[in-house]
Amino acid sequence: MSGGDGTIFARRGIPGVINAAGTLTRLSSGPLAPGVAEAMREADAAAVEMEALQAHASGVIAAATGAEAGLVTAGAAAGLLLAAAACLAGLDVARMNALPKAGRRNRIIVARGHRNGYDHALRAAGARLVEVGLPEPAAGAGCRDTEACDYAAAITGRTAGILYVSTPDAAPPLAAVVAVARAQRIPVIVDAAAELPPQSNLGAFIAAGADLVVFSGGKVIGGPAGSGILCGRADLVMSAALQGLDADVAWGDWTPAPGFIDKTRLKGLPRQGIGRACKTGKHEVIGLLVALEHFIAEGDAARHARWLARCEAVMAGLAPSRAALHIRNASATDRIPVLELRLADAGAAAGLARALRARPVPVHLARDPAAPDCLLVNPVALRETEVAPLIAALLSG
Ligand SMILES: *Cc1c(COP(=O)(O)O)cnc(C)c1O
């Protein structure tokens, strides 16, 4: 069964695809980790209080990340929205109910070089983004990127938080931003959606002093596509939880899970909040937790070996082709190995990518803006059954 016939999509007349491009949302993300689909089905067999389920999830996520608390969200972007909502409203119920009207203290500072489409999620919660710094290397016009002092200069009484988008070479270092933020008691939100592997990153940003960190559940963790993790300071996670829950209950009857939501710190119960529009159900929460536990149990080395074997299988099958083949990160067990096909030039690579997408069962490969003459086979979302059809497509392309 490949991306073609026999699938539930084929039976409905929906064209399938072969995804060698990675866990892209538009290509329906990657496969679920072993046991996740079964756990989601099992979760279907009984009812549960979502607060109790999220309180349990908080413990699992805290143990995995070193954070005080955690929440399963409807993806990393949902986590960013809830993180912003927590920074804007804190534990003030009236402020929660008013979002996305956030009042005066509504600014979230972000380095210009960290801006990306996902930061719309913070604006959706009511934040106004304030850009700082200059990514001069990106402009080819200097050697300095944003510096910690740029953040310091931008902090005012209207600042609700700082957004830091993590990549392996993000500038300035997170620790420097945290030092500036701590001095002024401003929370730092880290978007680490795609920063796994290495597995050690589950705890690295919390250890570096981030107040809130988001991870995608639908990327290498292997959870449902619509799942993610928000973890960090207990009071901020509590605020995020309150703004995502559906606690349609009288104050006197409300007995939230102790240790997760502290009722004594609240003046009332917020209504369905800004996060209610990106709700998570029990299936996603259980699915994410089982995926996270599997992710931790498997470990970087075994995961890398599994991905590398898939790259090597494709590489072996492509021996007759004229493309120059090379596996990136073949020995970097804390990275994702990818098979690189180097073509004559950027035009040849773009042409082959187009031809592959135009096949009866479209084939999607990854691209690297820094190497436009290359196509990349990313093994993370590639099913074993798709290896042979992928090879055949590449050989005929
Ligand atoms: C993928 C990604 C997101 C969104 O993650 P979802 O779980 O799909 O919502 C956000 N930020 C960055 C940097 C990402 O790479």
Side-chain angles (χ1 to χ4, degrees):
M1 212 182 299
S2 67
D5 27 81
T7 71
I8 195 167
F9 307 113
R11 292 205 303 280
R12 290 174 174 272
I14 307 162
V17 300
I18 293 176
N19 179 10
T23 56
L24 304 183
T25 295
R26 69 185 165 82
L27 296 179
S28 69
S29 302
L32 297 173
V36 173
E38 295 77 4
M40 292 172 77
R41 178 178 292 279
E42 220 184 317
D44 198 55
V48 67
E49 278 206 39
M50 288 306 294
E51 274 175 25
L53 179 57
Q54 286 282 19
H56 167 79
S58 178
V60 174
I61 294 168
T65 61
E68 290 173 4
L71 187 70
V72 179
T73 65
L80 290 174
L81 184 149
L82 287 166
C87 292
L88 293 169
L91 296 178
D92 185 322
V93 173
R95 282 185 184 213
M96 291 181 191
N97 286 334
L99 292 183
K101 251 184 108 182
R104 263 183 58 75
R105 213 179 47 82
N106 66 345
R107 306 290 209 261
I108 291 185
I109 298 172
V110 58
R112 277 196 177 79
H114 290 200
R115 288 295 314 271
N116 67 80
Y118 296 109
D119 62 37
H120 197 145
L122 293 99
R123 292 188 280 126
R128 279 258 311 268
L129 296 178
V130 175
E131 294 184 0
V132 297
L134 285 176
E136 288 174 334
C143 62
R144 290 179 304 164
D145 206 321
T146 301
E147 296 177 338
C149 60
D150 295 320
Y151 292 85
I155 292 173
T156 70
R158 305 194 65 174
T159 305
I162 291 174
L163 170 66
Y164 185 93
V165 180
S166 185
T167 53
D169 42 27
L174 175 60
V177 178
V178 165
V180 166
R182 284 260 165 101
Q184 312 249 24
R185 306 178 120 258
I186 303 293
V188 177
I189 301 166
V190 174
D191 178 354
E195 294 312 291
L196 303 171
Q199 191 168 317
S200 57
N201 272 356
L202 277 174
F205 309 107
I206 293 293
D211 296 277
L212 287 169
V213 181
V214 307
F215 296 102
S216 180
K219 293 181 177 168
V220 302
I221 290 177
S227 72
I229 293 170
L230 172 66
C231 61
R233 252 169 56 194
D235 60 325
L236 291 171
V237 171
M238 173 178 160
S239 172
L242 283 164
Q243 298 189 72
L245 290 170
D246 194 69
D248 181 18
V249 58
W251 176 252
D253 296 338
W254 186 46
T255 51
F260 182 55
I261 290 175
D262 180 358
K263 193 174 173 183
T264 65
R265 296 187 68 182
L266 296 169
K267 291 211 173 76
L269 184 55
R271 296 192 188 281
Q272 286 81 351
I274 192 91
R276 178 62 177 79
C278 43
K279 81 168 169 186
T280 36
K282 65 180 172 182
H283 307 88
E284 286 75 25
V285 176
I286 284 292
L288 181 281
L289 293 181
V290 170
L292 178 62
E293 286 160 354
H294 178 271
F295 178 79
I296 292 167
E298 182 173 34
D300 281 341
R303 198 162 25 246
H304 184 271
R306 178 164 56 78
W307 288 331
L308 184 62
R310 198 139 298 171
C311 289
E312 285 170 339
V314 178
M315 189 169 178
L318 292 182
S321 84
R322 281 165 320 196
L325 304 173
H326 163 70
I327 297 179
R328 297 185 182 178
N329 301 327
S331 51
T333 55
D334 58 350
R335 295 289 172 91
I336 299 173
V338 291
L339 173 62
E340 174 192 288
L341 290 73
R342 187 174 294 277
L343 290 115
D345 52 38
L352 178 55
R354 238 189 335 269
L356 290 167
R357 286 196 306 269
R359 292 177 61 85
V361 178
V363 174
H364 292 260
L365 271 67
R367 304 294 302 273
D368 173 1
D373 56 340
C374 291
L375 296 180
L376 305 171
V377 173
N378 180 316
V380 178
L382 186 66
R383 275 76 176 171
E384 193 175 0
T385 51
E386 293 170 345
V387 169
L390 171 64
I391 292 168
L394 284 167
L395 288 177
S396 71

